[in-house]
Amino acid sequence: MYIHSIAFVAAETKIAQDAMYRLKHRYGHVSPDKAEVIVALGGDGFMLETLHRYMGRKVPIYGMNRGTVGFLMNEFREIDLPERIAESQTVELHPLHMEAHTKDGGSLCALAINEVSLLRETRQAAKLRIKIDGVERLPELVCDGALVCTPAGSTAYNLSAHGPILPMGSGLMALTPISPFRPRRWRGALLPERAEVVFEILDAEKRPVSAVADYTEVRDVSKVIIREDRSMKIRLLFDPEHNLEERILKEQFVE
């Protein structure tokens, strides 16, 4: 299958902008709302922004690394781009849906491709009660915070918090504490992708907590409900020799 219409989007860095200028000149360019494929040039942060921006279009996105880590990106090469896209492999992701309720009675919903994290707002540790599918599993977690991540997000904040790396297609989410104080030895849990996770904030007035879905933050939450949004589908394209599943596997053997 030959790709006839490509939209190029790039981070604001010089290296990404220069690459976009050359690629537009070489292959032409259409607006993202008319493209068969969107090519994102930058790092993982920019890819995350691009996925959120065009999630409603359901158009596949092919990233090329013009950033630092580039875990979600393919290797940058200017030649044979339509052929590379045509031969790429598709990874389908479902984002997490966060429903955050605040102490003043308000609520806000947001989507997360990587993770939903809860974080203490002050010097005092947070106290959280955790329920899974309506069953109380942890009556009190004293910690800096906790997060729930997708397989795609398991190598991001989750990995820094010593959470597990999840292979694509594992059908799992990771629930990971952030600097747990009590129970000190609890290291989190692996959950089915269809599980509903509820965090209830204990002593919310004295120990305020914020909730963050990727980069949407809600302050002073009282309860946060997280579940996978099966109605939303994100399609990422990867070169066969460097697909996302292989990257996740390799990451587990990094020294």
Side-chain angles (χ1 to χ4, degrees):
M1 180 185 68
Y2 189 84
I3 304 300
H4 297 281
S5 56
I6 302 174
F8 294 99
V9 295
E12 295 182 359
T13 61
K14 185 177 187 303
I15 189 173
Q17 289 291 319
D18 287 349
M20 181 170 67
Y21 175 81
R22 295 193 304 271
L23 290 167
K24 282 183 176 182
H25 181 75
R26 186 168 193 153
Y27 296 109
H29 169 77
V30 299
S31 64
D33 61 335
K34 296 179 181 178
E36 294 176 80
V37 174
I38 295 173
V39 173
L41 304 163
D44 287 335
F46 181 72
M47 172 59 91
L48 201 61
E49 293 178 22
T50 303
L51 293 173
H52 274 278
R53 185 175 299 124
Y54 301 108
M55 194 181 300
R57 270 223 61 210
K58 300 180 180 179
V59 61
I61 297 178
Y62 181 91
M64 287 201 290
N65 190 18
R66 294 283 81 187
T68 306
V69 179
F71 187 81
L72 297 174
M73 316 300 276
N74 296 287
E75 180 185 347
F76 179 78
R77 297 197 305 269
E78 293 186 26
I79 62 171
D80 300 326
L81 181 58
E83 289 78 11
R84 287 177 68 190
I85 294 172
E87 295 171 2
S88 62
Q89 297 176 348
T90 302
V91 173
E92 292 187 348
L93 307 174
H94 297 286
L96 298 176
H97 179 274
M98 176 187 77
E99 179 184 331
H101 298 265
T102 58
K103 292 186 297 183
D104 62 7
S107 64
L108 187 144
C109 295
L111 295 176
I113 296 163
N114 275 358
E115 78 278 318
V116 174
S117 56
L118 278 72
L119 303 165
R120 65 184 176 98
E121 294 180 9
T122 68
R123 61 181 177 81
Q124 292 188 296
K127 288 187 176 181
L128 310 175
R129 178 185 293 127
I130 302 176
K131 295 181 179 179
I132 310 296
D133 291 331
V135 178
E136 183 181 282
R137 296 295 182 182
L138 201 58
E140 183 180 270
L141 172 65
V142 183
C143 56
D144 279 356
L147 63 85
V148 176
C149 75
T150 66
S154 67
T155 56
Y157 192 5
N158 173 70
L159 184 59
S160 298
H162 307 291
I165 295 176
L166 303 179
M168 298 302 301
S170 62
L172 297 171
M173 302 185 295
L175 167 57
T176 302
I178 301 169
S179 300
F181 176 70
R182 188 181 298 119
R184 191 181 299 274
R185 294 184 180 180
W186 187 67
R187 290 293 178 256
L190 296 177
L191 307 175
E193 61 186 357
R194 295 179 184 270
E196 179 183 84
V197 183
V198 177
F199 292 101
E200 295 177 352
I201 287 70
L202 307 177
D203 202 4
E205 290 295 334
K206 183 180 178 182
R207 303 170 183 269
V209 171
S210 65
V212 184
D214 282 350
Y215 46 75
T216 300
E217 182 180 13
V218 183
R219 305 281 289 181
D220 300 330
V221 295
S222 59
K223 182 168 73 171
V224 178
I225 303 168
I226 303 163
R227 66 178 72 89
E228 191 179 65
D229 189 340
R230 303 291 298 181
S231 69
M232 299 297 293
K233 186 184 294 184
I234 299 163
R235 289 190 290 161
L236 281 170
L237 302 179
F238 291 95
D239 294 330
E241 70 275 11
H242 207 36
N243 61 43
L244 186 57
E245 192 154 341
E246 171 64 16
R247 294 181 193 199
I248 288 175
L249 188 60
K250 285 175 63 178
E251 192 69 25
Q252 297 176 79
F253 295 90
V254 174
E255 294 182 359

